[in-house]
Amino acid sequence: MFDDEVTLLSEVEHPAYGAIRVPDGRALAWAEYGSARGLPCILIPDVGSSRLAPAWLLHDSALPSAVRLLALDRPGTGASDPIGLGGQEDPAEDLRRLVDTLAVGRVAVIGIGQGIDDVFAFASRYPRLVASVTAVSARMTDPLPARRSLRRPFGERATHPAGGLFGAWLTALGSGDLTKESTWAKAIPRMSSEIRAALGDRWLEEDFRAAVAVDAEQTQQIWGTVSRPPATNAWLANPNTEGVPVHLWHGQNEGLTSVSDVRSAVGARPGWEVTAAAGPTAVLGIWPQILSTAASSFRAVSAA
């Protein structure tokens, strides 16, 4: 069902856009990819990225047509309003409001990097709404925060990247035009060997560069600037998913966190599975497998 029915993401030039109002008056926005009748999978991108991340995440890949992929804008990113002063951040409640509005019943939740903390928080609080949890490129430590504006996405940035692979690109690229091959060519020597290996030759393709540039322009501030204190390994400290299947995908060179680190952290927890990607990172290159596996979790729910 999931192997032979695919839709090329490049065919979706302008993903459907939606937004809801949460109780504190904020707009919470997302973009939709794939079939509107597909199995609902909600993606929380890494910090620094937006609802437009799938355009480069699935570059030159096929999106299973059985999947309805909804990529969320964090508060203060893209079309989602920031949390006001004195406001309380609660990503689990934001996700619950979205699921209630979509009226889809259960969803498969997918987190990348820091987004993993948020999907685990949601699954732990509302396990009956979750078909599965997918964690892509988990980090064992938190990144240093960086602030960016919509007009100057690279004007104020931390010494260390704020969002894993994507943040490392932005740090090396600086304030240049991200759509130009020359900007990337100058940035490549400033990247670590691991980041260069993960990126490969994708930067030579015009549509990939354009997708990264458009995503980067969406960032206004990181999710959590107002009210969330740093929490190291929060996804590990909040594993009470009450029987919800958990699948972690990890590359061979994911920053400071190795596959063996992830396997050791997970241990023998029932219902948890770790898959090592063949390449340096799980963020690029294996999304058809990741999404097909997430979609297959609905079969287990139906059979239960």
Side-chain angles (χ1 to χ4, degrees), residues 220-245:
Q220 299 175 42
Q221 65 183 46
I222 65 167
W223 198 3
T225 297
V226 173
S227 60
R228 181 166 62 178
T232 301
N233 303 343
W235 63 276
L236 283 172
N238 192 17
N240 182 25
T241 51
E242 296 189 17
V244 176

Side-chain angles (χ1 to χ4, degrees), residues 23-298:
D24 63 3
R26 288 181 292 115
L28 183 68
W30 70 90
E32 185 169 333
Y33 304 83
S35 171
R37 298 184 300 274
L39 300 169
C41 299
I42 297 180
L43 172 68
I44 311 296
D46 206 347
V47 63
S49 197
S50 76
R51 70 186 188 281
L52 303 181
W56 60 266
L57 286 172
L58 283 96
H59 178 66
D60 285 343
S61 296
L63 177 68
S65 64
V67 168
R68 179 188 183 189
L69 182 64
L70 301 107
L72 197 67
D73 268 340
R74 299 170 177 275
T77 298
S80 287
D81 293 331
I83 299 172
L85 291 176
Q88 179 64 45
E89 180 192 2
D90 195 339
E93 286 305 310
D94 283 351
L95 282 172
R96 184 185 70 83
R97 295 283 178 178
L98 176 59
V99 173
D100 287 349
T101 300
L102 295 172
V104 291
R106 289 181 184 250
V107 296
V109 289
I110 305 168
I112 304 174
Q114 186 175 311
I116 294 171
D117 292 343
D118 304 316
V119 297
F120 268 104
F122 173 65
S124 297
R125 193 177 301 177
Y126 300 109
R128 294 183 180 180
L129 297 178
V130 179
S132 63
V133 173
T134 299
V136 180
S137 300
R139 290 195 289 270
M140 305 296 288
T141 58
D142 283 333
L144 297 178
R147 296 182 62 85
R148 299 185 179 93
S149 68
L150 184 61
R151 294 184 179 276
R152 292 176 58 83
F154 316 107
E156 300 176 7
R157 64 180 186 272
T159 302
H160 299 283
L165 184 64
F166 189 74
W169 296 344
L170 302 191
T171 298
L173 288 162
S175 58
D177 185 344
L178 304 193
T179 65
K180 292 185 176 180
E181 183 176 328
S182 59
T183 301
W184 287 79
K186 293 176 182 177
I188 294 296
R190 296 195 289 267
M191 298 180 186
S192 68
S193 57
E194 293 84 0
I195 296 300
R196 289 198 301 270
L199 178 61
D201 60 0
R202 292 176 177 86
W203 62 277
L204 294 172
E205 300 185 38
E206 183 178 359
D207 55 346
F208 178 83
R209 298 194 303 271
V212 171
V214 170
D215 187 11
E217 289 173 357
Q218 297 295 309
T219 302
Q220 299 175 42
Q221 65 183 46
I222 65 167
W223 198 3
T225 297
V226 173
S227 60
R228 181 166 62 178
T232 301
N233 303 343
W235 63 276
L236 283 172
N238 192 17
N240 182 25
T241 51
E242 296 189 17
V244 176
V246 174
H247 200 133
L248 294 98
W249 301 76
H250 207 77
Q252 302 299 323
N253 283 300
E254 299 279 9
L256 300 176
T257 305
S258 67
V259 176
S260 60
D261 291 334
V262 175
R263 293 191 190 279
S264 296
V266 169
R269 291 178 180 174
W272 287 49
E273 183 177 356
V274 178
T275 297
T281 178
V283 173
L284 293 171
I286 59 172
W287 279 97
Q289 299 96 305
I290 291 173
L291 292 172
S292 292
T293 302
S296 68
S297 65
F298 287 90

